[in-house]
Each structure stands twice: as structure tokens, then as C-alpha cells.
Amino acid sequence: MAAEAARDGLGRVRRRISIQSLLEWAFADECASIDFEDAGTLAPGYGAIGNAYLMAQRGALGCRIDGGGQSLPDPDADLVAAAVAMLPEGCGGRRMAVQIAELARARAMPDAFVGVQPRCEPKDWHVNPYGRRAKTMSLGIEIDSSGRKARRHDVQVCPVVYRPDGSQVASARRNYLQWWSALSELRITFEIHTNLSRWSVDECMPPMTPWKKTLAE
């Protein structure tokens, strides 16, 4: 997380941060959650009714809710969660919103099979108490007449597969690119609206195609 601070046009001192670190702060550190029901009432600036508003209303009523041992997320974290909930379908919509939140909580990125080499292995296995061995299948009987007496041989082969196969790798990398595009959408959103009180989102992004760097090396 970046420690650099900057003062905006309103005089607020905001620390610069990457969009990925911002998401991790909101979902992992502040334990923000996505509420798709409230997301439908967001204004263009992603200004949902969040915890800051609820706390103000409770203060006006002179009451508080008893119980619970966890503090409310920072209002900025609520704004981040609201923006994630409003991701357009072109960036994956709600499915991607859930994935972004889960990955941010784990401080992880989608698996894009970077550096993974497909392995050739048996398609299936026989497993018993003594271990396992590859399953084979018969291609039929072949007659060997090279000797004095013809011999019959059952021709056995072992079907193999490559894991991960091309379709698995392609699917994982399409998902990674959509995740990257969603983060880019969020970064631009916060860059335009500047509605976070503590943070200023910078231009730093995760690598767009990390597998290409590995291939080049």
C-alpha cells in the first residue's frame, strides 16, 4: 500500500493507493461487504447510503444498537463496495463483483496458469490398497505369425490427457483479463469522481498479461 500523500482541490490530504490495494483494504482490512439490493439506488457518483449515514441517523435519534463485537467498515470502504456492486455487465457484472471481493479478501489474483506447462498423464487410474496404476483399454486381438506357431495378443493402450488442457488455460486467462478490465473500470471511476475522503487512486495496475512475460523469458 502506497504511503505517498497528496492534497486535493478541496484541501483534503489523501494517500495515494493502487486500485488493487484499495480493494484489499476495503474487503480484507475493513471487512466491507457487497449489497446488491442497495446498489440499485446508487447515484452516478456511487454515493450509496452507507454506514456513515446510518451512524449519523442513529446519533440524531440518540440511540445505538447493542451487541456485536465488530466495528462498522470505514465509509470509504462502503463506497468501494458499492462501486464494485455496480460493475456493468461488460465487466462481468455481479459475478465479477463477487469474485473481486473474494480475491481481495484473500489478497490474491485470478489464476491465469502463469508458467504452467501442460502435463501428459493417464486419463484414468485403477486405485487399490497397494497404490494406483494407469487404466488401459483393449484395441483388439492381433495375430503374431512371425514364429512357428501363431500367437494371439491382446493389444492394450493407455489413453492419456494433457492437464491443464488448452481450453482450461484459455478460460482462465479470459477470466483474468475480465478481472483486469473490471479493476481498470473501478480505477477510472474513482479517478473521475474523487469521492473517497482518505484515498487517491493512482494509475498502478496489475500486469495485464502476466503469462506473456513468462513466455518471453
Side-chain angles (χ1 to χ4, degrees):
M1 187 176 295
E4 181 185 351
R7 190 178 297 273
D8 65 11
L10 300 177
R12 297 175 298 184
V13 177
R14 301 187 301 162
R15 296 174 61 188
R16 295 186 64 78
I17 190 173
S18 69
I19 184 61
Q20 186 177 4
S21 294
L22 177 66
L23 291 166
E24 292 174 357
W25 168 80
F27 290 106
D29 298 338
E30 293 295 320
C31 300
S33 59
I34 297 176
D35 189 344
F36 290 116
E37 293 182 3
D38 286 343
T41 64
L42 289 176
Y46 293 89
I49 294 177
N51 290 327
Y53 176 83
L54 296 176
M55 291 171 67
Q57 293 302 304
R58 290 168 191 164
L61 293 172
C63 65
R64 65 177 182 176
I65 297 176
D66 294 328
Q70 183 175 335
S71 60
L72 294 172
D74 186 279
D76 277 0
D78 280 339
L79 288 175
V80 172
V84 172
M86 284 291 290
L87 276 172
E89 286 300 322
C91 291
R94 294 188 173 187
R95 177 191 63 81
M96 181 54 63
V98 171
Q99 182 179 183
I100 286 175
E102 291 176 348
L103 288 169
R105 290 189 186 103
R107 304 183 193 277
M109 298 190 297
D111 186 5
F113 292 109
V114 177
V116 173
Q117 296 295 328
R119 304 182 310 276
C120 179
E121 56 185 55
K123 185 177 181 179
D124 208 349
W125 300 86
H126 286 292
V127 181
N128 57 43
Y130 303 100
R132 66 175 187 168
R133 62 184 179 85
K135 279 188 178 182
T136 59
M137 60 180 294
S138 175
L139 290 183
I141 302 299
E142 186 175 278
I143 306 298
D144 180 9
S145 55
S146 59
R148 293 184 179 181
K149 185 178 180 181
R151 297 179 181 273
R152 296 164 58 89
H153 298 284
D154 183 10
V155 179
Q156 297 280 325
V157 296
C158 175
V160 298
V161 293
Y162 285 88
R163 294 192 176 97
D165 62 28
S167 62
Q168 290 175 311
V169 173
S171 176
R173 292 180 178 176
R174 283 194 300 269
N175 179 67
Y176 181 95
L177 288 171
Q178 191 170 51
W179 171 82
W180 190 94
S181 297
L183 262 61
S184 179
E185 174 80 9
L186 292 168
R187 184 190 67 78
I188 294 171
T189 295
F190 287 116
E191 184 180 35
I192 292 174
H193 293 289
T194 62
N195 55 350
L196 301 177
S197 62
R198 298 179 56 182
W199 307 106
S200 173
V201 180
D202 61 26
E203 297 181 357
C204 183
M205 286 282 294
M208 184 176 181
T209 52
W211 54 89
K212 289 186 177 180
K213 180 180 178 181
T214 301
L215 291 174
E217 292 174 350

